[in-house]
Amino acid sequence: VQLVESGGGSVQVGGSLRLSCEASVSFVCMGWFRQVLGKEREGVATICRNGRTDYLDSVNGRFIISKDDAKRSLYLEMTGLKPEDTATYLCAARRQGLGGTWPVRRWTEGMYWGQGTQVTVS
């Protein structure tokens, strides 16, 4: 099983980026998570096969998660980027949902993880 992220980079405050994650197999739920060195990983956004999504409060309204099941791909459209969004963004997946969704706070229940892509906002 492989999850490969792309699309990270350096942007100015208020800018936009689109992250992509390609999976080698299909999953019921996928999500984006982020981590800053020395801090706990946090869930950013998740989406399940039934279309249900969940977002971290601080990104709600600025980030949009989407997927293309035919391509086994996951996306994160990020707008209005802030310095506090700077982190390594990781794609993760689960073979089952958690009650039909995957709450972002339950990041520890990711079964498979990508290597991450760096996003820097300054």
Side-chain angles (χ1 to χ4, degrees):
V1 175
Q2 281 192 312
L3 297 171
V4 181
E5 303 96 335
S6 62
S10 297
V11 294
Q12 293 183 332
V13 173
S16 301
L17 278 176
R18 186 178 192 239
L19 305 182
S20 299
C21 173
E22 292 188 26
S24 58
V25 298
S26 297
F27 295 98
V28 172
C29 294
M30 298 183 73
W32 289 100
F33 303 79
R34 64 188 183 189
Q35 185 157 25
V36 176
L37 191 63
K39 294 187 177 180
E40 186 175 278
R41 190 170 296 184
E42 67 177 353
V44 176
T46 60
I47 187 168
C48 293
R49 191 171 290 167
N50 57 13
R52 290 181 66 176
T53 59
D54 193 33
Y55 289 92
L56 180 67
D57 285 347
S58 64
V59 309
N60 205 4
R62 298 189 296 124
F63 293 7
I64 297 175
I65 190 170
S66 63
K67 59 186 176 70
D68 185 329
D69 292 332
K71 295 182 179 179
R72 295 196 298 269
S73 293
L74 179 73
Y75 308 100
L76 186 67
E77 195 76 39
M78 304 187 293
T79 61
L81 283 161
K82 305 176 181 180
E84 51 265 42
D85 295 318
T86 295
T88 298
Y89 283 71
L90 303 103
C91 173
R94 287 186 51 84
R95 292 195 181 277
Q96 305 90 25
L98 299 166
T101 185
W102 185 5
V104 291
R105 67 182 183 280
R106 297 176 69 172
W107 65 266
T108 58
E109 301 195 51
M111 293 177 174
Y112 304 96
W113 292 86
Q115 294 297 308
T117 184
Q118 179 67 33
V119 172
T120 302
V121 185
S122 60

